[in-house]
Amino acid sequence: MNRALELLDGQRPDATSPLGWRCFQLALLLLPASALLAGLLLFVALILGSRQPAPWWKDRLNWLLAALSLWMVLGCLGASSGWLAWVGLGNWLPFFWAFWGFQPYVATPEARRRMALWLVAGTVPVLATGFGQMVLGWSGPYELLGGAIVWWIRGGGNPPGRLSGLFDYANITAAWLALSWPLVLAAFLQHARRWRSGGAPLALGAISLALVVTQVAEMLLTDSRNGWGALVLAVPIVLGPARWIWLLPLLLLALLPVVLATVPGVPAVIQAPLRELVPQSLWGRLNDFNSHGERPLALTRLSQWATAVGLIGERPWLGWGAAAFSVIYPLRTGHWHGHPHNIGLDLAISHGLPVALGVVGLVLWLLIRAAVKGMVSGALFERAWWAAALVLMALHSTDIPMYDSRINIAGWILLAGLRCRL
């Protein structure tokens, strides 16, 4: 017990309480496995993390978030989605508070590195259940701790043939694996460096290598185009600018056959042999070749985005209310979709253009300023942290995985780390 407490108490920033520091680390370990248990621990950490020497109004970003909160509440008063609009505030307002209250726990590079490693450790159950589902035929639900943890694992994946693991849906699993991928890669590179210098046991290096290989394999098995893109996007950032002179041309050279095999309009004399070379499971997925028959236009991203833009034009200031898209889209197209697959459009529909511009602008500002301040060219885990935040932002341009609370929590922790870096 004492040994475990010593492990948890290491590298604690001066401004954090011992209890909050322990709860925060355990929460990240449990986060993908149980939103309930992680949420309880994070709530304790948030209460303690809010007792900061400097009051919240000293940070101008908190004033922005407070103004956006008031605007969102005002919009709920006349929302067409009724009570759903008020429920939808739960996806945002608590996390505006968490953005500030979590900062003491990610205030230093050492703290961010430690939290990154806890997220890596927490990813292991995701990988294990994905392997069990696709290889061993596991099929749940599995309950632990009297139902406090429930894993809705479906044999063969969900949708069928696509790895989903304990998240129960392939795209959400891909989002978690994508945001944790830069951190897993950084952990491997760290152990590889230490092993080469004789400062790390071979067993740890073997474990980190196994995690990297498993992570890549399972991201491919999710059959998520976003996940595949994240695999490529994160690598040059984590490896660092010093390697870009040879890495970027190599990546472009490797991706060129895939692009030419996928995009329409390439002459058949070029495309045909490349489609023999590149697996059909890859180029077919990228251009929807594997879809059953012709996809109705209403099921495509372009149709969703066009409808979303029209809805924003009708009510640009206060929006329609949270979840309004899922109600209005079927009425106008005959096909159901829960959201418009773009976080900016979704925010503008739900809460108005000012909120969308404020939230998206905040995230972009944090990423750009952190890059300018040297995070992209900094230490290994600083680069990985920034890459994880970038990957998650990129995912939200064509999907909205943050509606899974675990993804949402991880995202705001990453943003809190960027703020501390500034």
Side-chain angles (χ1 to χ4, degrees), residues 12 109 112 209 230 289 307 379 406:
R12 179 173 65 86
R112 290 190 288 275
L209 176 60
F289 178 83
T307 302
R406 294 163 288 188

Side-chain angles (χ1 to χ4, degrees), residues 126-127 130 133-134 157-165 169-178 215-228 231 285:
V126 182
L127 300 175
Q133 172 189 63
M134 302 302 289
N158 184 37
R162 297 178 60 186
L163 183 144
S164 55
Y169 191 72
N171 285 350
I172 302 301
T173 305
W176 182 272
L177 294 177
Q215 184 108 354
V216 171
E218 296 204 5
M219 287 178 73
L220 294 175
L221 289 174
T222 62
D223 204 23
S224 165
R225 290 164 288 189
N226 281 340
W228 296 349
L231 272 175
R285 173 62 175 159

Side-chain angles (χ1 to χ4, degrees), residues 126-139 153 155-156 163 218:
V126 182
L127 300 175
T129 53
F131 176 82
Q133 172 189 63
M134 302 302 289
V135 178
L136 303 178
W138 291 358
S139 185
I153 302 171
L163 183 144
E218 296 204 5

Side-chain angles (χ1 to χ4, degrees), residues 24-37:
F24 197 79
Q25 293 175 84
L26 292 174
L28 297 195
L29 175 64
L30 295 172
L31 181 57
S34 174
L36 173 62
L37 295 180

